[in-house]
Amino acid sequence: RNDPNGYLFDELVHVPLIFSGIGLKSKIITNMVRHVDIFPTIEDVISLPKKNDIDGESLLPLINGKKIHENPAYIESPPAVKEEHIKEKIIGIRTSSYKMLKQEDSGDVVELYDLANDPLEEENIVSSRPELVKEMENKLEEIMANKKIATPQDKVDLDKIQRELEK
C-alpha cells in the first residue's frame, strides 16, 4: 500500500534486521527495535569504547537471550511533492502496541492506530483516544528533546575503527 499523504504504514517502514558474525547466536527476535540501535550494537559486538553522545542502545543483550525494555521508535517521512505543491512532512512514534502520526509543521495529530487490534492500520482512532494521543505526544516530545544531532566535528575515525577490526 502506498499512501499519497506520506503516512508511514508498517509495510513502508518495517525493515527486517539481520546481524551476523562470529560468536553471534542464530536467533529470530520478534521485538520491535530501531535503526538507531544498530551502531551501538555493532560497538558492543566488536568491543569498541561506547560513546554517550549517540542515540540508540545496544541490542546485544536481546541477541543473547536477555529481555530489554522497549524504546518507542521515532519515524518520519520526507515531504511529498505532488501536483506542484508540497505536502507537510509527517513525523510520528511507534511502539509495539500503537502508532501515532502528526504533521510536523502544524503539529496536528492526524493518525493513531491500535496495532495489536488493527495491524493493517485501517481504523484511525485519533478522535476516540485523546488520552492516548497525549501520552504518545509526550513520548515523541521526549525523543525530540533527547535526540542527539551530529555536527561536522563528530566525524567517525574510520582508520581507528579499521585498526580495532584488525585486532
Side-chain angles (χ1 to χ4, degrees):
R1 162 175 58 173
N2 191 3
D3 185 74
N5 295 314
Y7 297 149
L8 300 162
F9 294 111
D10 266 6
E11 58 263 29
L12 300 174
V13 297
H14 184 192
V15 179
L17 176 60
I18 299 172
F19 281 105
S20 177
I22 297 171
L24 291 179
K25 299 174 186 171
S26 178
K27 181 177 189 166
I28 295 175
I29 297 171
T30 59
N31 301 54
M32 183 188 81
V33 297
R34 308 164 306 160
H35 288 112
V36 296
D37 298 327
I38 295 171
F39 186 74
T41 304
I42 293 170
E43 276 184 324
D44 209 4
V45 167
I46 62 175
S47 302
L48 283 178
K50 292 177 182 38
K51 291 186 164 195
N52 293 327
D53 59 347
I54 61 169
D55 290 320
E57 295 179 12
S58 174
L59 300 173
L60 193 56
L62 186 63
I63 293 168
N64 288 330
K66 296 180 181 147
K67 292 189 181 221
I68 62 173
H69 67 281
E70 177 185 276
N71 290 308
Y74 170 80
I75 53 179
E76 67 179 34
S77 72
V81 179
K82 186 177 182 181
E83 298 173 13
E84 299 182 68
H85 66 278
I86 298 176
K87 294 184 179 186
E88 270 194 84
K89 179 177 176 180
I90 302 296
I91 62 171
I93 185 169
R94 188 195 191 287
T95 67
S96 58
S97 302
Y98 296 98
K99 182 189 296 179
M100 181 194 75
L101 303 172
K102 65 191 285 182
Q103 295 175 339
E104 183 180 48
D105 293 335
S106 69
D108 294 337
V109 175
V110 292
E111 304 278 331
L112 177 66
Y113 296 104
D114 177 346
L115 300 173
N117 295 306
D118 179 22
L120 298 177
E121 303 169 70
E122 296 176 326
E123 184 182 347
N124 183 3
I125 60 171
V126 73
S127 300
S128 62
R129 299 290 306 271
E131 76 291 342
L132 183 57
V133 169
K134 187 65 181 157
E135 180 184 327
M136 297 292 278
E137 283 189 299
N138 289 341
K139 287 181 182 181
L140 180 58
E141 286 175 19
E142 184 179 331
I143 289 172
M144 298 302 286
N146 294 321
K147 198 157 102 172
K148 297 167 179 78
I149 307 297
T151 64
Q153 300 90 284
D154 297 330
K155 290 183 181 175
V156 175
D157 184 347
L158 295 177
D159 291 331
K160 181 178 178 182
I161 292 172
Q162 183 65 36
R163 287 190 301 273
E164 290 291 327
L165 290 172
E166 291 171 354
K167 285 184 179 180

